[in-house]
Amino acid sequence: MSVLPILRWPDERLATSCDPVGEDDLRGLVRDMFDTLYAANGRGLAAPQVGVMRRLFVMDCGWKDGEATPEVFADPVITVREKKLSVMDEGCLSIPGLSVPVERPVAVTLAWRDEMGDMHMRDFDGFEARCIQHEIDHLDGIVTLDRVDAEMRAELLAEYARA
Ligand code: ZN
């Protein structure tokens, strides 16, 4: 078991786009990312948050409610975005203590590969859809603070500085 250090915003790497995973075997990294996710009491963790600049994230939206659902997403692509949007407060392991209201589509269709290289495509809604969009933002060098207007961002930055 290896718990990796999680980068904190505004680390430059959190503002950097990641490279495709391709055919690389990242199973060791995936194990460490789950160890890190659970140790940090989170539900989603993207590779750039542990300094690995690849298009990969892990998610488990059920473990806190007693039903673990660990899933690995390599080279994920959102193929359909629901037109209906909603706003929800989002936390981020790289921006500890800050809750940011972000507007996103309520459902998405996602294509991805797992850690064995098998292709998947599935519809997600609710908390999972939100988590997936949050983690894919990380792969594109985007954090929650980039998704709010200037006034809200200034308010949140002041709150983050105080924390
Ligand atoms: Zn995050």
Side-chain angles (χ1 to χ4, degrees):
M1 165 159 176
S2 299
V3 173
L4 307 169
I6 297 177
L7 302 184
R8 290 208 174 174
W9 191 87
D11 190 292
E12 190 62 25
R13 285 164 287 183
L14 295 171
T16 305
S17 273
C18 295
D19 297 320
V21 170
E23 303 291 310
D24 288 7
D25 183 352
L26 298 177
R27 278 175 290 181
L29 172 63
V30 161
R31 275 193 296 275
D32 289 348
M33 284 175 66
F34 275 115
D35 290 342
T36 306
L37 175 72
Y38 296 132
N41 207 28
R43 292 190 176 93
L45 181 72
Q49 292 182 275
V50 292
V52 178
M53 305 310 292
R54 308 299 289 276
R55 300 191 70 82
L56 171 75
F57 70 91
V58 299
M59 179 173 91
D60 187 339
C61 289
W63 76 279
K64 289 190 185 184
D65 305 315
E67 195 183 327
T69 54
E71 288 202 89
V72 178
F73 299 86
D75 294 330
V77 176
I78 295 175
T79 59
V80 182
R81 286 176 174 80
E82 169 72 49
K83 284 196 183 66
K84 190 173 174 232
L85 307 175
S86 73
V87 177
M88 244 178 91
D89 284 340
E90 295 183 14
C92 178
L93 295 176
S94 293
I95 317 176
L98 206 62
S99 191
V100 180
V102 183
E103 184 176 57
R104 300 188 189 275
V106 297
V108 294
T109 304
L110 190 74
W112 77 97
R113 281 180 301 102
D114 61 26
E115 71 276 34
M116 308 303 289
D118 293 330
M119 287 290 307
H120 300 267
M121 188 181 265
R122 206 163 91 210
D123 298 332
F124 293 89
D125 60 12
F127 192 86
E128 285 187 325
R130 182 155 290 267
C131 188
I132 283 166
Q133 293 174 80
H134 176 115
E135 301 310 331
I136 288 179
D137 270 0
H138 277 303
L139 308 185
D140 294 324
I142 297 166
V143 296
T144 51
L145 287 166
D146 302 321
R147 292 258 178 224
V148 296
D149 63 32
E151 193 182 341
M152 170 79 76
R153 183 182 169 100
E155 254 174 57
L156 289 163
L157 286 180
E159 189 184 329
Y160 190 54
R162 279 197 302 272

